[in-house]
Amino acid sequence: MRPMARFPALLREAHAASGLSYRQLGDAAFVSRSHVHNIATGKRVPDRRFAEAVDIALGADGRLVAAFEADEAERLEEAATRKTLAASLAASRDLIDLAEMDLDQIHAGVAETAVDYLSTAPGPMLHRTNALRTDVLGRLRDHRHGVNERKDLLVAAGRLSGVLAYAALDLGDPHAALEHARAGARCAQAAGDLELLMWVRGTQSLIARFNGDYGVALDYVRDGLQYAGEVPGTGKARLLSGEAQCLANLGDSVGANRTLDAAERAHEAVRQPDSLAGLFEFSHTKRLYYSGSSLIWLEGGADAQRAERDALAAITSWQQMPPEQRSLDDERLAHVYVATARVQLGDIEGAAEVMRPILTLPPEAQISWINKRAGRVASMLSAPEYATSTAATELRDAITGLEEAPAR
């Protein structure tokens, strides 16, 4: 999220209407002309004294002070999130060391956290999950546990680390996400829980794909698939869908489509549910979403048509679910994937239509994935063939105007 976004814009607007120079405005606020300019362009953060002074000088009737207060509250919230992210990362490093020791009693609520993550912003989930795991670490250090609880508690600790990995990645910090995932893998290995280990490998592959390391991402997938015959649930379908994303990004249309078909068969073959719901299960809707998010990386044509169809089907499926079951971030990303496919197919008006709800998202809802993928749509619209297209220019400019993702 771009910090202090309201105040500079309102300051520029009020200044332009006032007829005052920056020097005159600086004199009124007892600062230099360059200081005013740097605040107006977002290069420096104002203090309250400055906000009050320019509010009076420009006759803003308290609007500038209100904008300052809103931006300041947002800045403080972001600082708290960054602090929590750092604290949770330190806890993951502790878990990496503690996973080989006796791990004991864990706080209740892991299952609820896994489900709530789907419909809750990652910032609040980061705070909540970190608080839960901090309690776990305290219990571990104090050896406050029963004799026969070790395996179950290792699994719960690993799952909490997995939730933190997702939150860190959604907050735009793949390095922290990898450490959290590594902690989850160590807990899974220590507990001998192949279902959790398989899930963690899928998450590590997801992080590698975020970083563009598709070879590494494939390695994680294939390591996880070795356990597919031994565990219940949808883990195999999830890993195969991740493999399809890798193959598509590496330009292998035949391999990507074949693997997506295999993921569909794996999903249909599931007879025993995942041990935990929410973030730890791979639904039919999520599989359709993965299809769309994979095939948009190819050359268009039939791949773009399948991507559009499957991503639209995922959106429709999510919209029919109760709010607590909808994965809002994925649903929003599916809009971006449909838009990408439509640009590949030359349907700029259709792309603009499906992007409309994304372009009006509040900054706190713009997770790093959304900005990353929407930026690709904007780049596609900058191609020479769209140079004279008003619709392409308007959509590109609207995407470019999106707030930067929160530092998450």
Side-chain angles (χ1 to χ4, degrees):
M1 181 185 301
R2 185 179 299 113
M4 310 302 289
R6 302 172 186 79
F7 187 90
L10 187 57
L11 176 61
R12 293 193 300 272
E13 178 185 330
H15 170 258
S18 71
L20 295 177
S21 67
Y22 274 163
R23 185 175 300 280
Q24 290 172 311
L25 195 56
D27 289 343
F30 301 101
V31 297
S32 67
R33 174 193 175 282
S34 62
H35 188 84
V36 177
H37 177 268
N38 286 336
I39 290 176
T41 55
K43 296 177 181 177
R44 295 195 64 169
V45 176
D47 57 22
R48 173 172 288 277
R49 184 194 59 78
F50 177 89
E52 292 173 345
V54 296
D55 190 281
I56 294 171
L58 295 173
D61 297 324
R63 288 183 299 125
L64 279 165
V65 172
F68 165 82
E69 290 174 344
D71 285 339
E72 183 70 358
E74 192 170 90
R75 185 183 67 80
L76 291 173
E77 181 181 351
E78 289 178 9
T81 295
R82 288 193 297 272
K83 182 177 179 181
T84 302
L85 184 60
S88 66
L89 182 56
S92 255
R93 289 167 178 157
D94 283 344
L95 266 180
I96 291 167
D97 295 332
L98 285 167
E100 295 177 349
M101 301 170 60
D102 288 334
L103 299 185
D104 305 313
Q105 189 174 13
I106 191 167
H107 198 273
V110 176
E112 182 182 348
T113 299
V115 172
D116 288 351
Y117 192 90
L118 299 182
S119 57
T120 307
M125 289 305 302
L126 179 77
H127 290 286
R128 171 175 161 180
T129 309
N130 185 59
L132 186 61
R133 204 176 60 164
T134 298
D135 180 71
V136 171
L137 288 174
R139 294 170 185 266
L140 295 174
R141 292 191 180 101
D142 296 341
H143 297 281
R144 289 181 281 123
H145 54 79
V147 175
N148 299 316
E149 295 175 332
R150 180 176 182 272
K151 179 177 178 179
D152 289 345
L153 296 175
L154 275 168
V155 172
R159 286 171 174 163
L160 285 172
S161 297
V163 175
L164 286 171
Y166 261 80
L169 191 62
D170 283 343
L171 291 166
D173 193 337
H175 301 295
L178 276 173
E179 290 225 37
H180 289 315
R182 180 171 171 243
R186 292 290 296 277
C187 289
Q189 289 165 334
D193 190 301
L194 296 182
E195 182 182 359
L196 176 57
L197 182 58
M198 193 172 172
W199 183 89
V200 171
R201 291 292 184 247
T203 302
Q204 289 171 312
S205 178
L206 175 68
I207 299 165
R209 297 196 299 274
F210 181 92
N211 287 331
D213 298 330
Y214 299 107
V216 173
L218 272 175
D219 289 341
Y220 281 126
V221 163
R222 289 167 180 170
D223 184 79
L225 282 171
Q226 68 180 304
Y227 311 115
E230 304 176 54
V231 301
T234 58
K236 181 178 180 180
R238 178 175 182 249
L239 285 169
L240 287 170
S241 296
E243 180 176 359
Q245 283 192 340
C246 295
L247 294 173
N249 275 277
L250 294 170
D252 184 357
S253 173
V254 173
N257 280 279
R258 183 175 60 243
T259 307
L260 287 171
D261 293 340
E264 182 176 3
R265 291 192 298 272
H267 203 278
E268 291 172 348
V270 172
R271 296 294 177 266
Q272 186 175 346
D274 299 276
S275 297
L276 205 63
L279 196 61
F280 293 93
E281 65 181 345
F282 192 73
S283 66
H284 169 73
T285 304
K286 192 67 178 280
R287 183 184 59 74
L288 290 169
Y289 161 84
Y290 261 69
S291 176
S293 67
S294 300
L295 298 177
I296 57 168
W297 297 100
L298 295 162
E299 297 300 320
D303 290 319
Q305 291 171 355
R306 182 176 181 180
E308 179 188 25
R309 181 185 71 243
D310 287 353
L312 280 172
I315 292 170
T316 300
S317 179
W318 272 314
Q319 289 175 344
Q320 294 171 349
M321 294 179 186
E324 66 274 11
Q325 294 180 14
R326 292 170 70 174
S327 180
L328 293 179
D329 289 335
D330 289 338
E331 183 180 327
R332 291 159 179 163
L333 274 165
H335 282 260
V336 182
Y337 298 146
V338 173
T340 306
R342 287 179 175 175
V343 171
Q344 290 175 325
L345 295 167
D347 182 8
I348 306 305
E349 288 77 11
E353 178 184 1
V354 78
M355 280 294 292
R356 191 169 296 117
I358 306 306
L359 298 174
T360 57
L361 284 175
E364 62 272 14
Q366 296 168 25
I367 67 168
S368 57
W369 286 102
I370 289 177
N371 288 271
K372 195 178 182 77
R373 299 302 181 234
R376 179 175 178 237
V377 178
S379 297
M380 294 168 64
L381 293 169
S382 299
E385 60 262 37
Y386 298 121
T388 60
S389 169
T390 301
T393 300
E394 290 177 350
L395 179 55
R396 185 188 66 235
D397 290 347
I399 294 172
T400 304
L402 277 172
E403 293 282 356
E404 295 178 359
R408 48 185 196 152

